[in-house]
Amino acid sequence: MIDAEDVGGVHIKYLYHCRRQLWLYVRGIRPEHLSATVQLGEAVHDASYTRNTPVDLEAARLDFIDGAHWVHEIKSSSRPSPADQAQGRHYCHRLRRVGIEAQGAVLHYPKTRRTQRFPYTPQAEAQAEADIAEVLAVATSPASPDRLARSACRGCSFTDYCWTE
């Protein structure tokens, strides 16, 4: 199973999006590569901000960090979500753990040409720690969490695992 150092951005994203999806992901069920939505997101990511270099933190990989230590994340969706903010917060937390004083996260939405900036505050740090603990709780649960309402699963690459009888 995973420990706190293994928790990455995808785990945090799935925690906010769907706990059942997180539970399946931790157990190695990863159908994302079959999803057209995921492929579109990767294309948007590859075509945006091409002059910047991704930063690999082993379990987490953030899009880039600027000279003022702001974490930048490129999102393929047009609408901001709590999962996006949590993912940026988690990357700031990981950077601070390796000694880089991350100032916060800047989320870029190329489809709508909008950005959102979230400073990394003591409250954000506490939430990041709580998120990691919650990921570990879901990961170690012997049974999968209940599935969401079917309408919430639209576009999810795990739909077949949850809704096939």
Side-chain angles (χ1 to χ4, degrees):
M1 208 42 70
I2 65 172
D3 64 22
E5 294 303 316
D6 298 326
V7 174
V10 173
H11 296 105
I12 298 297
K13 178 181 174 183
Y14 288 172
L15 175 68
Y16 279 82
H17 183 253
C18 174
R19 290 170 186 252
R20 185 179 179 103
Q21 188 179 26
L22 170 62
W23 191 86
L24 291 167
Y25 181 80
V26 168
R27 282 157 177 77
I29 299 172
R30 298 180 176 177
E32 298 95 338
H33 67 283
L34 303 173
S35 169
T37 304
V38 172
Q39 292 171 354
L40 175 63
E42 290 174 351
V44 168
H45 184 272
D46 291 343
S48 304
Y49 303 95
T50 56
R51 289 183 279 166
N52 299 297
T53 306
V55 177
D56 189 357
L57 297 171
E58 296 183 12
R61 183 180 166 129
L62 55 100
D63 290 340
F64 67 97
I65 184 168
D66 65 22
H69 295 169
W70 282 85
V71 172
H72 292 260
E73 276 294 303
I74 302 161
K75 299 297 175 188
S76 60
S77 66
S78 56
R79 288 182 293 163
S81 73
D84 298 342
Q85 186 179 351
Q87 203 172 14
R89 184 173 53 235
H90 180 70
Y91 292 148
C92 292
H93 181 73
R94 300 250 346 168
L95 284 170
R96 290 219 175 182
R97 289 185 64 121
V98 296
I100 297 172
E101 289 296 315
Q103 300 300 308
V106 180
L107 305 177
H108 300 267
Y109 297 89
K111 281 185 181 177
T112 57
R113 297 182 179 191
R114 294 187 179 187
T115 60
Q116 288 190 331
R117 186 175 289 258
F118 299 98
Y120 192 70
T121 62
Q123 293 82 16
E125 181 179 8
Q127 186 61 53
E129 289 283 344
D131 290 346
I132 291 169
E134 195 62 32
V135 165
L136 296 176
V138 171
T140 58
S141 174
S144 70
D146 292 335
R147 58 187 177 199
L148 301 175
R150 192 173 184 105
S151 61
C153 299
R154 191 174 359 155
C156 177
S157 56
F158 289 78
T159 300
D160 290 343
Y161 292 95
C162 295
W163 291 99
T164 302
E165 297 296 328

